[in-house]
Each structure stands twice: as structure tokens, then as C-alpha cells.
Amino acid sequence: MSSYSAPLRDIRFALFDVLDVESSFRHLRFEDAGRETVDAVLDEAARFCDTVLAPLNRVGDEFGVRYDKDDGSVTTAPGFRDAYVQFSDGGWGGLAAPTAYGGMGLPHVLGMPLEEMIDAANLAWGNFPLLSHGAASALLHHGEEWQREVFLTKLVSGEWTGTMCLTEPHCGTDLGLLKTRAEPNGDGTHSITGTKIFITAGEHDLTPNIVHLVLARLPDAPAGSKGISLFIVPKFQVARDGTQGARNALRCGAVEHKMGIHASATCVMNFDGAQGYLIGQPHKGLAAMFTMMNTARIGVGMQGLGLSERAYQNALRYSRERLQSRALSGAKFPGKPADPIIVQPDVRRMLLTCKALIEGGRALSYHAGLQVDIATHGASEAERKQADDLLGFLTPIVKACLTEWGVECTYHALQCYGGHGYIAEHGMEQLARDARITTLYEGTTGIQALDLMGRKTMQLQGAGLKVFLGLVQSFCEEQAGNAALAEFVAPLREKAGEWQALTLSIGKRAMSDPEEIGAAAYDYLFYSGYVALAYWWARSVAAADVSSQPQAFKDAKRETARFYFARLLSRTLAHKAAIDSGPAPLLALDEAAFDA
Ligand SMILES: Cc1cc2nc3c(=O)[nH]c(=O)nc-3n(C[C@H](O)[C@H](O)[C@H](O)COP(=O)(O)OP(=O)(O)OC[C@H]3O[C@@H](n4cnc5c(N)ncnc54)[C@H](O)[C@@H]3O)c2cc1C
């Protein structure tokens, strides 16, 4: 079985040394988020994840969820319910929620390490509270006050969980196709009818009620995505004064059998005239849903990071213990029958790839999380807008890169085990199976790439990119006289210039050929992710050098950064070449000739 121990030292390093969140918290007036509080939160979160959630990871994979077709109920794996009770008793679901609705009112960025630890410990379990955050966020920003008081408070306290009901059998990426109907009842409620599929935590036995947020069409809705509205549809009806009533007309029709995250309930949900309340304006549901999806997208990025971390920890331990062959330059451990495999450059390639992507990805994603706090509590409109632009730009990068790197890292970690990684005993194959979904749900990697390239970069004139490049430029200027950092600053400066030029050249070509965007998007996303990580690695070395961390930690940061710049940043060359080749190599082959 794979094990997990929360990497608190690196989490603290990312938060306090690299990001200097203490200054941000003072600036944003988070009076209760002093160092002692944050340390206590991290320690307690680590304890919960290491000792309660992590041991249930294998149990969940083996048990899955049990569906009873007679009553449509779903039973979760042994231990899941008790863990959920501990989670909600600890107030974890409301860590960053406003105190007005029962939350702790702590900075959103502290939810990032919490999510990372939960996902590393037990991704399938983490899916139950994950979507409550998204639902809470949609209610907070778009709900009426009574809806917040009745539903949001229950999601924040963890008494109920939330879902996101978007997908239908014929409608996944393209939500404009959705058919679920909402008929007004004339009393302020609506009757919702339709079938949603793949609904995470759609039915379970963890809480007495479940708050479904459902996309549906009103009778007068225009066609396409402009005719979608968002509704609150609880499993048990709830009156405006919060009183819980009869069972609503909805039911789980089946649970899916999946490649991974077996213990996460992926449900077909049938709504048969279920009572629901409209959230926000009619036909504006997609905007409200995007609030929910953005929260969830960053959350899914953390799933990729968490799984990478767990896989890496196990692969590292195994690579130190497994004795096979000798180092090519001669025995490194002559007293042993063979050297541990960690002496081999190829094994180091895999371990260092994981380490570099994880630690760089941690700084990148926590920084994105901090933008949520600045966008909400920034001192001026300009500061809030800048953070919002940056957050919008970073969200698809965090979601897609961290999840694709999660797949890569779990595969590298499995590979370090050789054949022992492929068999179930060590738990490495579970991590690889679990990681795969993260690149699919909440918008596939291809869709994140289009969001970054099309909406966030082209339509918004690169507003977020400009903010990010501004950060890179300031950092390079600050460090210009620091000889110890020159080996990182020079290539970073060069890549930042290339990134800007590349963006402009795609934009220019797209004016005469719209296919340029789709053809460039995937490679542009990863190009951006690798350059962004170069910035975070350069900053990590700079932060480590001036920190009070032990010398071995500082050296490890520098050597890992060297590995990153030498071996991973160079992936941008291939991405740039692919972008420069334009749409022709992708589109020239006639659709009918693919099997010619
Ligand atoms: C385990 C699991 C849990 C899920 N949980 C939820 C949930 O809680 N709530 C919910 O509503 N949904 C959920 N989903 C659904 C998930 O979000 C969708 O599966 C996903 O968004 C993709 O939709 P699709 O499967 O219909 O694929 P499609 O939309 O059919 O896409 C198929 C392929 O075509 C590509 N593609 C489609 N359109 C374009 C385009 N315009 N440009 C480029 N490429 C394109 C996609 O990237 C993908 O590779 C879940 C799915 C799974 C498997």
C-alpha cells in the first residue's frame, strides 16, 4: 500500500518564504491569520489527512460505492462517513468561507494546502467536499440572501454537501446543447425535469441532504448557451425558512464503474419534476456556473498536485531501498550486494521530474489561490481587477498543467517500482488510475487550452498574461545584481520575451485564420505552464537563499532548479515548434482519409 505524509516543510516554504503570505495577509487585513494560527491549521490538517484519510485510500479503491437499485441509495466505503463527520466537526469545509455564513473567514490561499493534502491522502473521498466549495461559491456570488442563509450555511458547516449538475448524455463540453427543463410553478419555485450523468457525489450516505445545483432551460429560453439558467434542487425539499420537507422528485438511477477514484460516487441523476429555486437571473446560469467551475478547476489542479506528491514520496523511498545493479561509474555502496536504483541517472530523471514539477507547481498554484484573496479583499478596485485578471489567466494553467503533470508523475513513480509498480500491492497503480480523471472532468485539457488561448489571451487582450509578465520583469530587475541567481534569471528573461512574441504572432495569424487558435492552444498552454514554472523555480531559489532553511534544503532547491532549467524548460522548444507549424499539419488530411 502507498503511504503519505504531508510535506509540511515545503508547504510552509511555499507559503511563507516564496509567496510571503504574511505580508499579503496584513495588507488584506486578515487579522486572524497570524503565523501561529496558520501553523496550527496546517499541523491539524496534516494530522487529519495523514491519520484519518490516507489509511482509507486503499479501502475505498477496493470497496468503491454500493448502489441499491431498489431505493436508489448509495453507500460509501467503510470509514468514509466517520471521516466526513470529523471533517465537518473540524469546520474544514468552511475554512475560507465568510464568518457571516458560519465559516472561519481565513484566507482562501490556506485552502490550497488543505486541498492538496486531502487529495494526496484520499482523492476519492476529497471529491465529496470538493463540490460543496463550488456550490457555496456560486451561492455566495449569485444567490439571494435567503438562499445563502438556508443553503450556503449548511454547505459551509458541512451538514449538507453540494453537487454540480451540468453534464447530460448528449452534452458534455458543449453545454449549449443541454435539454433539462425548468417549468415555473407560479409560487417562486420551478419543476426540474431531465437526466444528468456523471454527477460526482450525486447520491451518498454522508449527509442527510444534498444540494444539487442544476443547469436547465426555462420555457422561453433562447437556444444555445445563452438560454441556460441555474437552479438549487435539494434531495429533500427545503422551504424558504429553512425547514426540511418531503423527499424531492429526483433519484440516482445508477453509479458508474470507472478506471479510478472508485470510492467517489459518479451518479446518473434523474430529475422528474423536482422542486427547485432559480439562482440569479433567468438565462444567466452559465455565468453563475462559471463561478462554481473556476473554484472547482483550481481544486482539480490541486488533485493533480496531491497525487504527484504521494506518488513521489513512495517512489523516492522505494528507489533508495531497491538494490539492483551498480552505478555506471563503479559501486556507490560497495558494502551492499548492489547499489540502490536511485544512483541510476534514468531513475533520477524520473524522480527529479516529479520533484521539480511538484515543488514548482506548489508555488504556482498557491500563488493563483492568493489571487482569490486579493481579488476579493484588495485595497483598491485596480488591485482587485489585476488579481482577477491574473487568476483568470492562471486557472486553466493550474487546472490543465498540474493534472497532466499528475498523470506524468504518477506514471514516473510507478515506473521507478518496475514491475512491482504495476501490481496492486504497492498502491502505485491506484495513484496512476486515480490521476487520469483529473485531466478530463471540470473541462478537459483541450478545453482549458482553448480557454487560455481563446478567451483569456485573445479576447481579453492578454490582460492576465501582461500582469504575469510584469511580475517576471520586476523579479528579473530586482535580481539583476545577484550573481548567484544569474544562471536562472537570464534564461527566464529570454523565455518571457519569447512568450510575449509568440502570443503576438499567434494573435496576428489568427486574424486571417481562426483555426490558428485551436491548432496552437494545447502547445501554448504547456509552453505557458513551463515558463511560469521557470519563474517560480527562480523565485524559489532566491527565497531559499535568504531563508533560515538548513543548507541541505537550499542546495536541494538550487539543484532541482538547475535540473528544471536544463531538462524541463527545454520542452518549450518542442511546444514552440509545434505552434509555429500552424494549423496545416493538423487540418490538411481530409476527415474521410483518416483510415485510408
Ligand atoms: C468521474 C467523472 C466525474 C464527473 N463529475 C461531473 C460532475 O460532478 N458534474 C458534471 O456536470 N459533470 C461531471 N463529469 C463530466 C465531465 O465534466 C465531462 O465528461 C467532461 O467535461 C467532458 O465532456 P464529455 O465527456 O461529454 O466529452 P466531449 O465533450 O464529448 O469531448 C470529447 C473530446 O472532444 C474534445 N472536444 C470537445 N469539444 C471540443 C472543442 N470545442 N475543441 C477542442 N476539443 C473539443 C474534448 O476535449 C474531449 O477530448 C464527470 C465525468 C467523470 C468521468
Side-chain angles (χ1 to χ4, degrees):
M1 195 178 117
S2 71
S3 61
Y4 174 68
S5 168
L8 281 180
R9 184 159 75 178
D10 202 63
I11 287 175
R12 288 196 168 100
F13 173 72
L15 286 172
F16 297 116
D17 295 301
V18 184
L19 291 176
D20 186 17
V21 292
E22 282 175 287
S23 300
S24 299
F25 294 168
R26 275 194 300 275
H27 171 67
L28 300 172
R29 298 179 188 282
F30 280 110
E31 319 286 349
D32 296 334
R35 175 77 196 231
E36 267 182 32
T37 308
V38 175
D39 275 334
V41 166
L42 292 174
D43 285 339
E44 190 48 29
R47 188 205 61 76
F48 174 69
C49 293
D50 291 357
T51 62
V52 179
L53 295 184
L56 298 175
N57 198 38
R58 169 65 80 88
V59 181
D61 189 50
E62 286 168 355
F63 183 93
V65 289
R66 301 278 153 87
Y67 173 68
D68 184 334
K69 66 177 172 5
D70 292 333
D71 62 4
S73 66
V74 170
T75 306
T76 54
F80 270 44
R81 197 158 187 277
D82 180 51
Y84 186 82
V85 170
Q86 292 188 45
F87 175 83
S88 42
D89 285 353
W92 293 110
L95 184 80
T99 48
Y101 300 105
M104 291 191 209
L106 287 170
H108 178 91
V109 67
L110 297 183
M112 308 295 285
L114 174 65
E115 282 185 15
E116 178 195 327
M117 289 187 244
I118 289 175
D119 296 330
N122 196 327
L123 179 64
W125 183 92
N127 266 347
F128 289 97
L130 175 72
L131 294 173
S132 297
H133 289 300
S137 168
L139 282 163
L140 185 64
H141 292 100
H142 304 278
E144 294 170 39
E145 191 48 36
W146 76 265
Q147 294 174 337
R148 293 196 197 112
E149 276 162 22
V150 170
F151 295 102
L152 178 58
T153 49
K154 297 283 192 191
L155 292 173
V156 166
S157 68
E159 283 170 77
W160 300 345
T161 59
T163 71
M164 279 171 60
C165 298
L166 292 74
T167 308
E168 298 179 8
H170 59 285
C171 140
T173 300
D174 186 356
L175 292 171
L177 298 172
L178 76 81
K179 288 183 182 158
T180 297
R181 299 189 320 274
E183 301 282 344
N185 292 327
D187 60 357
T189 68
H190 290 77
S191 292
I192 313 295
T193 304
T195 295
K196 298 284 178 181
I197 62 165
F198 297 166
I199 304 308
T200 298
E203 178 59 61
H204 58 73
D205 57 359
L206 304 184
T207 54
N209 206 353
I210 300 172
V211 183
H212 300 286
L213 291 203
V214 183
L215 283 184
R217 281 184 191 289
L218 288 162
D220 59 343
S225 58
K226 293 202 168 75
I228 298 173
S229 307
L230 183 62
F231 297 86
I232 311 171
V233 190
K235 174 175 163 183
F236 284 89
Q237 292 181 352
V238 179
R240 282 172 170 255
D241 63 2
T243 343
Q244 190 166 308
R247 180 71 203 241
N248 214 343
L250 63 95
R251 184 184 148 107
C252 173
V255 293
E256 305 294 349
H257 299 277
K258 313 185 286 289
M259 175 178 177
I261 53 163
H262 291 159
S264 171
T266 308
C267 304
V268 174
M269 296 301 301
N270 296 317
F271 297 87
D272 191 11
Q275 186 196 68
Y277 299 106
L278 179 71
I279 305 182
Q281 298 302 308
H283 317 314
K284 300 276 185 233
L286 215 53
M289 207 70 193
F290 265 108
T291 307
M292 183 159 170
M293 270 161 40
N294 284 337
T295 313
R297 281 178 174 178
I298 298 255
V300 174
M302 302 318 287
Q303 297 188 335
L305 180 65
L307 286 173
S308 301
E309 171 67 39
R310 184 178 185 140
Y312 170 68
Q313 286 184 11
N314 287 274
L316 176 60
R317 196 189 54 246
Y318 189 82
S319 302
R320 282 176 171 147
E321 288 167 1
R322 178 70 172 168
L323 304 180
Q324 292 291 297
S325 326
R326 290 291 180 192
L328 292 174
S329 53
K332 297 271 197 259
F333 293 81
K336 295 188 173 179
D339 283 338
I341 58 172
I342 197 169
V343 306
Q344 303 297 339
D346 190 54
V347 173
R348 291 171 155 257
R349 171 185 63 79
M350 295 188 279
L351 292 172
L352 279 164
T353 298
C354 296
K355 184 172 168 62
L357 294 177
I358 292 165
E359 294 175 16
R362 184 168 287 131
L364 169 73
S365 56
Y366 289 8
H367 177 242
L370 185 59
Q371 302 316 305
V372 176
D373 293 312
I374 304 173
T376 317
H377 301 284
S380 66
E381 179 60 36
E383 189 187 359
R384 292 194 292 273
K385 158 119 186 27
Q386 179 166 309
D388 198 49
D389 286 343
L390 187 54
L391 176 64
F393 180 74
L394 292 175
T395 298
I397 297 177
V398 168
K399 196 295 180 172
C401 291
L402 265 59
T403 58
E404 292 286 352
W405 292 337
V407 171
E408 179 177 349
C409 292
T410 52
Y411 268 70
H412 285 321
L414 185 155
Q415 193 78 8
C416 289
Y417 277 73
H420 298 271
Y422 191 71
I423 60 167
E425 183 187 343
H426 295 281
M428 300 308 284
E429 54 83 45
Q430 183 194 345
L431 300 179
R433 282 187 287 107
D434 285 355
R436 193 63 185 83
I437 184 60
T438 62
T439 68
L440 295 163
Y441 56 21
E442 291 306 334
T444 59
T445 302
I447 294 308
Q448 303 303 323
L450 278 180
D451 181 41
L452 179 74
M453 176 94 269
R455 227 176 84 75
K456 307 290 170 51
T457 307
M458 296 299 152
Q459 280 177 28
L460 302 177
Q461 276 96 40
L465 173 63
K466 275 183 210 145
V467 181
F468 195 82
L469 286 172
L471 296 177
V472 176
Q473 195 183 347
S474 311
F475 172 76
C476 291
E477 279 163 15
E478 273 164 32
Q479 299 294 335
N482 183 354
L485 222 66
E487 62 180 300
F488 307 116
V489 169
L492 174 62
R493 195 193 292 272
E494 194 186 311
K495 277 289 158 196
E498 187 183 72
W499 192 6
Q500 198 168 18
L502 187 64
T503 310
L504 287 175
S505 78
I506 301 167
K508 219 179 203 176
R509 294 200 302 268
M511 284 198 274
S512 54
D513 183 1
E515 298 287 8
E516 281 282 352
I517 302 282
Y522 173 88
D523 290 286
Y524 183 79
L525 174 91
F526 281 94
Y527 180 97
S528 304
Y530 286 116
V531 181
L533 226 58
Y535 167 68
W536 285 110
W537 265 111
R539 277 196 56 169
S540 296
V541 177
D545 282 352
V546 298
S547 73
S548 56
Q549 299 286 347
Q551 193 55 43
F553 182 92
K554 296 181 184 191
D555 293 345
K557 283 290 171 202
R558 181 170 287 272
E559 292 307 338
T560 311
R562 284 183 174 148
F563 169 85
Y564 181 80
F565 274 74
R567 286 241 169 194
L568 298 183
L569 184 58
S570 47
R571 292 180 182 184
T572 53
L573 301 175
H575 289 301
K576 181 174 180 305
I579 292 169
D580 288 343
S581 73
L586 292 168
L587 298 181
L589 185 64
D590 191 272
E591 188 273 320
F594 266 71
D595 51 1

